[in-house]
């Protein structure tokens, strides 16, 4: 059990990522780590102890790393408490204390503890409805998610209910072909609820384990989006009363604070149950995962840490903090 897992929990065995996934995570967070620690080094240059100036600089660095203002203030408050208790805290210890306090903060949530792509047993088909604005990597995430579930031995069916854009349907078809899973689609402009209904019916007849349904990425009219998603849900429930079992919101991690804003707007428009944060490998804004994980009462379930088909990972807070401060 690593040092961080001891911080999170000393009385239970925590799941861990395999070595290859750890390396992918390390590589995916490289830009965020390099940016963060170069700023941190400058902030403590010439300082021997953690004082008000160092804490002010640290606050700026955390906000600039898109951890978010509210989460940053929580972290700073924790470190101030440590400084008060220890009386003298050297700047050489700041990195260690910072990671301990972020670990402690995330340990207060009961999510981010998985390490494998699993669904609850005795729920078949398990229906995941995917939402998110265009350009965040929504369709790509669906394809990668289908691939990971298939690798676990699940039978997956995709539904192309983003009928607003022909490109969305075609892109999902490409992913279905690449992964080797069936897809249910209709023409552009078709009723999204009709596609969702057909997809679940098809999944039931094929005795599929998982259904993943893409939906339109429009947010300019929240009322219209809410009405559309509500209708999709209602029609799904004619086939599977509990559907959807998950409403997955996909956010682009490289947009930083904009991802927070999208999360706020989508959670106001529909009942989001979990989040996927993508494109973390191409940005220095990886801190957004820490902030989103802390701020929203919605679990971050998946993170995208590379362009490869296998570079979507289950978000494990133990491994994330371990990797970020490695």
């Amino acid at each position: 059990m690593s040092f961080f897992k001891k911080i999170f929990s000393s009385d239970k065995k925590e799941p861990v990522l395999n070595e290859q996934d750890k390396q992918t995570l390390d590589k995916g967070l490289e830009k965020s780590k390099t940016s963060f620690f170069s700023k941190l080094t400058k902030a403590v240059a010439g300082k021997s102890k953690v004082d008000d100036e160092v804490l002010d600089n640290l606050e700026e660095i955390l906000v600039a790393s898109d951890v978010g203002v509210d989460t940053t203030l929580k972290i700073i408050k924790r470190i101030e408490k440590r400084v008060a208790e220890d009386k003298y805290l050297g700047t050489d210890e700041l990195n260690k204390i910072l990671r301990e306090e972020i670990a402690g903060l995330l340990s207060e949530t009961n999510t981010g503890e998985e390490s494998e792509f699993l669904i609850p047993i005795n729920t078949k088909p398990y229906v995941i409805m995917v939402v998110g604005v265009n350009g965040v990597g929504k369709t790509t995430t669906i394809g990668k998610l289908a691939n990971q579930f298939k690798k676990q031995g699940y039978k997956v069916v995709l539904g192309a209910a983003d009928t607003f854009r022909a490109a969305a349907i075609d892109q999902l078809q490409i992913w279905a072909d690449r992964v080797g899973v069936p897809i249910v689609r209709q023409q552009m402009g078709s009723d999204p609820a009709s596609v969702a209904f057909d997809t679940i019916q098809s999944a039931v007849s094929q005795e599929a384990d998982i259904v993943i349904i893409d939906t339109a990425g429009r947010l300019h009219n929240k009322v219209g989006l809410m009405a559309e998603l509500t209708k999709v849900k209602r029609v799904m429930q004619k086939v599977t009363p509990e559907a959807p079992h998950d409403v997955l919101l996909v956010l682009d991690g490289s947009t930083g604070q904009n991802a927070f804003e999208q999360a706020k707007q989508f959670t106001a428009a529909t009942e989001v149950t979990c989040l996927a944060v993508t494109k973390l490998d191409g940005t220095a804004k990886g801190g957004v995962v820490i902030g989103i994980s802390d701020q929203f009462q919605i679990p971050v379930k998946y993170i995208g840490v590379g362009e490869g088909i296998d570079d979507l990972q289950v978000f494990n807070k133990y491994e994330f903090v371990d990797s970020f401060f490695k």
Side-chain angles (χ1 to χ4, degrees):
M1 186 181 280
S2 80
F3 174 68
F4 290 110
K5 294 183 189 68
K6 287 176 184 172
I7 292 173
F8 282 116
S9 172
S10 58
D11 60 359
K12 62 178 179 178
K13 187 179 184 296
E14 303 301 349
V16 293
L17 301 178
N18 63 46
E19 203 53 47
Q20 186 179 344
D21 285 345
K22 282 182 184 179
Q23 288 173 9
T24 302
L25 181 60
D26 290 346
K27 189 178 177 186
L29 294 179
E30 205 168 312
K31 287 186 180 178
S32 294
K33 290 189 284 188
T34 302
S35 171
F36 183 81
F37 287 113
S38 66
K39 289 173 185 171
L40 190 62
T41 301
K42 287 176 188 172
V44 299
K47 294 276 189 179
S48 61
K49 71 170 188 171
V50 177
D51 56 17
D52 288 345
E53 187 182 347
V54 169
L55 287 172
D56 285 345
N57 290 337
L58 177 59
E59 188 176 319
E60 283 182 26
I61 293 166
L62 288 167
V63 171
S65 300
D66 286 280
V67 171
V69 174
D70 290 343
T71 303
T72 292
L73 292 175
K74 284 185 188 178
I75 294 167
I76 295 297
K77 194 172 284 186
R78 283 169 171 265
I79 294 174
E80 283 176 339
K81 188 180 177 189
R82 289 282 290 268
V83 171
E85 287 171 354
D86 296 359
K87 303 301 178 194
Y88 181 92
L89 204 61
T91 52
D92 56 333
E93 299 171 86
L94 184 57
N95 180 27
K96 172 177 170 286
I97 284 158
L98 185 58
R99 56 184 173 176
E100 284 178 12
E101 293 309 327
I102 289 174
L105 185 66
L106 292 185
S107 73
E108 292 171 5
T109 66
N110 294 319
T111 60
E113 298 182 359
E114 301 300 324
S115 62
E116 293 180 289
F117 288 84
L118 300 172
I119 58 166
I121 56 172
N122 303 325
T123 305
K124 190 173 176 176
Y126 192 84
V127 181
I128 303 169
M129 184 168 81
V130 184
V131 299
V133 299
N134 298 329
V136 296
K138 181 163 58 80
T139 310
T140 300
T141 298
I142 292 169
K144 290 180 178 181
L145 196 53
N147 174 63
Q148 293 287 8
F149 281 135
K150 188 183 177 188
K151 280 167 63 177
Q152 293 291 332
Y154 294 116
K155 190 172 182 180
V156 184
V157 176
L158 302 183
D162 182 355
T163 58
F164 187 68
R165 295 183 308 131
I169 300 170
D170 293 340
Q171 190 185 0
L172 197 64
Q173 180 72 61
I174 290 167
W175 272 105
D177 294 342
R178 185 178 178 187
V179 176
V181 296
I183 180 173
V184 174
R185 56 178 289 178
Q186 293 179 14
Q187 296 301 310
M188 179 185 166
S190 300
D191 181 9
S194 171
V195 179
F197 181 84
D198 289 351
T199 304
I200 298 178
Q201 269 203 328
S202 176
V204 170
S205 67
Q206 295 178 59
E207 297 187 345
D209 301 296
I210 298 171
V211 174
I212 309 175
I213 294 177
D214 191 11
T215 62
R218 309 191 300 284
L219 196 57
H220 62 270
N221 182 349
K222 227 180 337 187
V223 177
L225 176 75
M226 191 184 299
E228 184 175 293
L229 295 178
T230 301
K231 182 183 175 187
V232 170
K233 284 183 186 179
R234 191 172 65 246
V235 171
M236 280 182 192
Q237 289 164 358
K238 291 180 180 178
V239 189
T240 303
E242 304 84 21
H245 301 93
D246 262 331
V247 177
L248 173 66
L249 171 61
V250 181
L251 300 169
D252 179 349
S254 69
T255 62
Q257 289 306 297
N258 194 34
F260 275 90
E261 192 53 40
Q262 284 179 23
K264 284 179 190 172
Q265 291 192 43
F266 262 100
T267 51
T270 190
E271 194 177 335
V272 176
T273 61
C274 56
L275 306 168
V277 183
T278 67
K279 306 183 186 182
L280 292 174
D281 56 306
T283 180
K285 299 175 183 285
V288 73
V289 177
I290 296 168
I292 285 175
S293 210
D294 170 56
Q295 287 301 305
F296 289 94
Q297 298 301 309
I298 302 166
V300 175
K301 210 165 188 178
Y302 310 108
I303 53 173
V305 288
E307 294 181 6
I309 192 169
D310 293 320
D311 292 342
L312 181 75
Q313 294 189 353
V314 170
F315 173 63
N316 182 286
K317 61 192 176 189
Y318 314 108
E319 299 295 353
F320 188 89
V321 176
D322 232 341
S323 177
F324 197 90
F325 286 95
K326 194 173 284 181

